[in-house]
Amino acid sequence: MESRDRLSTSPSIVPYSVKGKLSTSVQVHYAKQLSSFSNTFYGERGLIALRLAALQNEQKTAQLLLQNHQLSEGLSQIVSDVTRSSRQAVSVSAAEATQIGQVMTQVTWGVVIASVIISLLLIFLFVIRHLNRRLKRLSQSMDDLSKGNLDVKVEDTSSDAIGRMARSLEVFRQSALQVEALTREKEENDRRLETEKKASLIKICPMILKIRSGTFWKM
């Protein structure tokens, strides 16, 4: 630095053997040229300063590249950890989904079986109630017929055993109605015959009395 300052500021750098032979203006011009040359190498914007700045920039670039490499490695590690965690989470989720699917399948089968059982029970209860209702009507009809009430109607058109029993009971009722009608007709005939018999007796009684008294033959 001292030699650079000396070259840029003092005209004494001109060789002594030449200095005495040159004029003052030439010496000043020569000093200015040397100062300019010195600034080109040693100035704030000289080649040495630019080289130092370039070296500093290269050092900063190397530091930045090193930091970038470290950050890249750290980021790669983070991505690897996240990927591994994601795979583990996906595996756990898949296992949980499988378990949930199995549970849902079991629940679905349970609901289906329960629905079938409930449906069968409802059908069974409906059939039982229907059969009980038909048997109750049939029993009531039989009780009425046993008490002599032939006006009751037995109506069951089904083809099962209860229907056949109801039709048999209806046949019995119709037979009983026919017997009752025949009985009433016989009673009517008997009453009519009795009335006619009494009328005939009333007519022939005077004749019998006359025959007994002997007056019938005198007529």
Side-chain angles (χ1 to χ4, degrees):
M1 293 296 290
E2 291 180 355
S3 61
R4 186 186 63 183
D5 294 339
R6 187 166 57 250
L7 286 172
S8 61
T9 59
S10 176
S12 61
I13 62 175
V14 180
Y16 182 77
S17 60
V18 180
K19 183 177 180 182
K21 298 179 181 181
L22 297 176
S23 62
T24 304
S25 61
V26 174
Q27 293 179 10
V28 172
H29 177 72
Y30 182 69
K32 288 181 178 180
Q33 291 297 324
L34 289 175
S35 177
S36 177
F37 180 76
S38 177
N39 287 331
T40 300
F41 281 94
Y42 301 103
E44 293 180 358
R45 296 183 179 275
L47 294 176
I48 295 175
L50 292 175
R51 181 57 181 168
L52 291 174
L55 291 174
Q56 291 177 357
N57 289 331
E58 290 178 359
Q59 186 178 4
K60 290 181 180 179
T61 302
Q63 291 177 355
L64 291 175
L65 289 175
L66 180 60
Q67 292 177 358
N68 189 15
H69 180 68
Q70 292 176 353
L71 290 175
S72 297
E73 289 181 351
L75 183 60
S76 298
Q77 185 65 32
I78 292 173
V79 170
S80 178
D81 294 339
V82 171
T83 303
R84 185 167 55 253
S85 299
S86 298
R87 289 178 179 175
Q88 292 177 355
V90 169
S91 299
V92 173
S93 299
E96 291 179 353
T98 303
Q99 293 179 355
I100 292 172
Q102 293 176 355
V103 172
M104 290 299 295
T105 302
Q106 294 176 358
V107 170
T108 302
W109 277 109
V111 171
V112 170
I113 293 172
S115 300
V116 171
I117 292 174
I118 292 173
S119 299
L120 292 176
L121 287 176
L122 290 175
I123 293 172
F124 180 74
L125 291 175
F126 175 77
V127 171
I128 292 299
R129 290 183 62 184
H130 182 65
L131 291 176
N132 287 334
R133 188 163 53 249
R134 291 172 61 195
L135 289 173
K136 185 176 181 180
R137 287 200 302 266
L138 184 61
S139 177
Q140 184 65 37
S141 299
M142 293 176 68
D143 289 339
D144 293 337
L145 289 175
S146 65
K147 293 177 182 178
N149 184 12
L150 300 179
D151 294 331
V152 63
K153 291 183 178 181
V154 183
E155 297 178 354
D156 196 329
T157 59
S158 60
S159 59
D160 55 1
I162 298 176
R164 290 194 295 272
M165 289 176 62
R167 287 191 293 274
S168 299
L169 188 62
E170 178 64 19
V171 171
F172 174 77
R173 188 181 76 86
Q174 294 294 334
S175 299
L177 288 174
Q178 292 178 2
V179 170
E180 185 179 10
L182 292 174
T183 302
R184 284 198 300 268
E185 183 178 0
K186 180 178 181 300
E187 290 177 354
E188 291 291 334
N189 291 329
D190 290 342
R191 283 195 296 271
R192 183 171 54 80
L193 291 173
E194 185 68 22
T195 302
E196 290 177 354
K197 181 179 180 181
K198 288 181 179 180
S200 298
L201 289 174
I202 291 173
K203 289 179 180 181
I204 65 174
C205 278
M207 296 176 63
I208 293 173
L209 293 175
K210 289 179 179 181
I211 290 172
R212 286 182 178 181
S213 60
T215 60
F216 178 77
W217 304 106
K218 294 179 179 181
M219 291 177 59

